Structure formats: C-alpha cells, structure tokens
Amino acid sequence: MGKPRYIRLADMLSNAIQDGKLAPGTKLPTHRAFAEQFKVALATATRAYGELERRGLIVGEAGRGTFVRDLALPPALGVRQIANDDLIDLVFNMPGDAADADKLRSGLRRLAASGDLEAMLRYQPHGGRRHERRIIAESLSPTLGPVDPESLLVTSGGQHGLAILALGLFRRGERIALDTLTYPGFKSIAALQGLELVPVDGKGGVMDPEDLQRQCRERKVRCVYLMPTVHNPLGSVMNEETRLRLIEVARENDLLIIEDAAYAFLEPDPPASLLSLAPERTFHVGSFSKNLATGLRLGYVIAPALYTDRLLEAIRATTWNAPALISGLATGWIEDGTLASSQMARRRDGAERQKLCHSVLNRSAILSHRNAGFAWLPLEKGARAEPVVSRLKEHGILASSAEPFATTVAVPQALRLAFGGIPMHELEGVFQLVREVIEGVPHAAGMLE
C-alpha cells in the first residue's frame, strides 16, 4: 500500500528543507494556497503541515504564517542544556563568582568536623531532617511570616518541588491556570503528568484576576501557578492589591495556588507572600539554586497540613529523601550568614548587569527586574526570533526565543537573555554582538515557489 498523499507531500517538503532548497526562515504558503498549488483538499494540506511540525522541520506562528525551522537549532532550545564550552550560554541563568569554590571548601570542612557524618550515610526522613527543616523555616520567616517546620518539606531542588506537587496533588487531565509566559520547567512537568494548561491574560507577567475568573467560569480549573515575586521570564513583582484579588478568585473557585519563589530573593522589599495571605491553599516552592549555587540541588515546599502526607509519598517515590550532605551544607550556610551575604551579592551583581544590558542594547521595550541576571527583549514589529537565535549561534552565542516560555498558540517574537553566568569582563562585548545581530537579521524570506 502506498503512502497517504499528505505523507508524500510532507516528504517532498522535508527533502527540500534537508537539501537546503528551502532555507531556514522561508515563509511557506498558507494551507489554502498550498492546497491549491498541489491540487489537494485543504485537510490534506493541513495534515502535511502538521506532519512537518511533528518532525520539527517547520513552525507555525499564529497571525504570521508558517516558516522553515533552522535545523541547526534544537527545537527545545531554552529547555535542554547543550554541553559546549565553545558557546556563550545566554539560555540558562548560572550565577556565581570565583569565591564560590572557597565557600564550598569551608563548608565541607565544617561538615567534616561536625561529628554527624555517619548519619549522612543513612536514609533520611522523606521530608528532611527535623533540625534542618527548622533552620530553613526560621530563615524564611522575615519574608513569609511564621513557618511551621512540619509544613516544610525538603526537596532535591525547586524543580523537584514542582514535580512532587504535580505527582501528589493532580490527576491526569486536570487543568492548571498560569501566565501566558511562564517557567518552561513547569510546562515540562505538566506535560509529563498529562495536565492541561490554561493560559490567563495579564500584563508584563502580572496575571489579570478577572481573566482568571472568566476562565474558571468557562471550565473547571483545579489550580493556579504563579511567580508573583520576580516573574520568570519577565521579572515583574505583583502588587499586593492584585495578590489579594487573585486570592479572592481562588477562594471563590476553590483553586489551589502554587507560588514559585525561585527568584524572589532578588526583591529586597517584596509585598506579602501568597503563602502568608492564603496559607490554607498555597504551596510555596523555593530553592537554593539561584541564591547559593545551581549545582546544589536543594529546595523546599511549604504546604497546608492537609496535603503533606501526599507530598511525602511523592518524595518517597521519586528521591526517597534529599541528599543529607547538600542539606547539611545549605543549612550550615544559613546559620553562619553565608546565605544572606550570597543573596546580597547576587542582587548587587544582577543590578550591575542590568545597567549594562539596558545601556548597550538601548531598547526601551526590555522587561526585567532591576536585580535579575536575565531580561526579556521583545523584537520590533515584523521581526522573527528564530533567525536571530540562529545567527547568534553562528557567532557562538546561545539564546532562547519565547517559544519555551509561551503557553499560547500565538508565540511572541522575543528573546530571553540569561546573563548571570557570563564573566563581567566579557558581558559588554556579548551584549554588543546581540545588538548587532538583531539589527542585522533581515525579515522572513519569500514563500515557496
């Protein structure tokens, strides 16, 4: 039996793309024009394009058209790490400085002298050792209010914290409301768990409570996922009035709230946390990756007492317990003031990098937090992100488009630049090259002949 017509058409275009006859960025005909050109039904043309999207060869951009992908770029650039020391990485935010290694050495020496090493070689309680939970809880109280150590579960990083929430709280097919631009790691978890994402409109990373209310009226929503203090990727901080209104909507519709605080430490004077405003339904997720070191996979979830047993089961099923060596290091750094000084240093460093970013790129549309090591750069009308990302890679720079962050069909044409790990003496040159590439990349190529 021969191949279906739509597969034959997809193969034809695939060969043209692979052979370079259709260059990256080529704008393809509309589905209807393609159907007329090859004298097939519109449904056949649509299936052919769908097959090419499945193969990762083309990308459809709502309101703009369908374009040939640059095959040199992984489709998930912005989600998956690429190990290549020859490339400058503006995709993953990896803050740090030369003193971090000395900090680790002193921390390990302290642990070695503590007399508690034998206990670290054994299984630990699933939610973390009691005294370490207390230390973490007390360190969070200045910004979150009093935290019961029994409600705080230690996890193997913030990503693991989000994963145990998905595993422990939700069933396949349940709906999670979230921003139209959000953290890609949460999208990955939701996809693995079979959760349906419901994009909610907002402005600059601040969700519109009235649109959340509308979404809840139109469909059954189980939870809302938010980054109210230093949004990733936009850097916004939600004001308290909006927080209170969102909580009203959550209570009216019996929504659970996930408060992701991965970058919250960058804001020195934050509004009241969602956890403090709605402790009966809020799950607060944090980590020590961005304020201490990305390689220290240690985080925590603060949960209402009603749900802690289910989350403990999820920890047991995934990691059994967080590594005692890492939790011992981190809690020691909390007690001796290292964490506090590291957070202050990260804020100062981020502020310096932001000034350089705005100065060199010289674009009023940049969205960012004043202390963050990342920024969101919308492109000018008519420009496309993929050719910019492709050209930057040719110059040895990895950057991410909006696609990994988008939860809507229409993906904004923008770049997310993460520059927290680039040496300061290199950063001005990197920003200058980014600016030159953006200004030099032409608009989309012509349509298929």
Side-chain angles (χ1 to χ4, degrees), residues 210-398:
E210 305 318 314
D211 194 52
L212 177 62
Q213 182 74 278
R214 180 182 66 81
Q215 297 287 356
C216 291
R217 283 197 302 265
E218 293 179 358
R219 65 192 82 186
K220 175 63 178 174
V221 176
R222 180 78 177 94
C223 175
V224 57
Y225 169 75
L226 295 162
M227 293 170 281
T229 306
V230 189
H231 181 278
N232 179 16
L234 301 178
S236 56
V237 176
M238 184 185 295
N239 64 39
E240 187 163 335
E241 180 182 0
T242 304
R243 296 177 190 227
L244 291 170
R245 177 58 186 141
L246 282 168
I247 288 169
E248 283 182 9
V249 174
R251 285 175 171 152
E252 289 171 15
N253 295 279
D254 195 23
L255 303 181
L256 301 179
I257 299 171
I258 297 175
E259 180 179 31
D260 187 336
Y263 287 101
F265 73 94
L266 292 172
E267 175 53 54
D269 187 25
S273 68
L274 300 178
L275 177 70
S276 66
L277 296 172
E280 82 285 356
R281 65 185 60 249
T282 299
F283 298 81
H284 183 92
V285 182
S287 82
F288 298 98
S289 295
K290 302 301 188 293
N291 55 5
L292 278 173
T294 55
L296 294 176
R297 305 310 304 160
L298 192 75
Y300 50 87
V301 173
I302 304 170
L306 179 64
Y307 299 94
T308 53
D309 284 347
R310 290 156 66 177
L311 299 181
L312 286 169
E313 283 297 303
I315 293 174
R316 183 174 70 86
T318 51
T319 61
W320 194 271
N321 60 262
L325 180 64
I326 304 301
S327 62
L329 277 170
T331 51
W333 284 327
I334 291 172
E335 289 188 302
D336 70 10
T338 298
L339 174 64
S341 62
S342 178
Q343 290 183 159
M344 289 178 63
R346 294 284 191 265
R347 289 195 287 265
R348 287 195 300 268
D349 181 72
E352 187 177 354
R353 292 168 185 271
Q354 284 292 334
K355 289 178 183 176
L356 192 59
C357 173
H358 285 256
S359 171
V360 176
L361 295 181
N362 193 27
R363 288 173 177 263
S364 60
I366 294 175
L367 297 173
S368 60
H369 186 274
R370 66 189 183 282
N371 296 328
F374 60 89
W376 186 258
L377 180 58
L379 299 180
E380 295 177 358
K381 186 176 181 180
R384 295 182 57 247
E386 190 180 74
V388 176
V389 173
S390 177
R391 189 67 57 85
L392 284 171
K393 187 168 183 287
E394 292 174 4
H395 285 82
I397 296 176
L398 291 177

Side-chain angles (χ1 to χ4, degrees), residues 129-139 149 152 335:
R129 295 189 289 182
R130 186 179 297 272
H131 73 284
E132 292 178 343
R133 294 163 75 178
R134 175 185 55 77
I135 291 168
I136 297 171
E138 289 177 355
S139 74
L152 186 148
E335 289 188 302

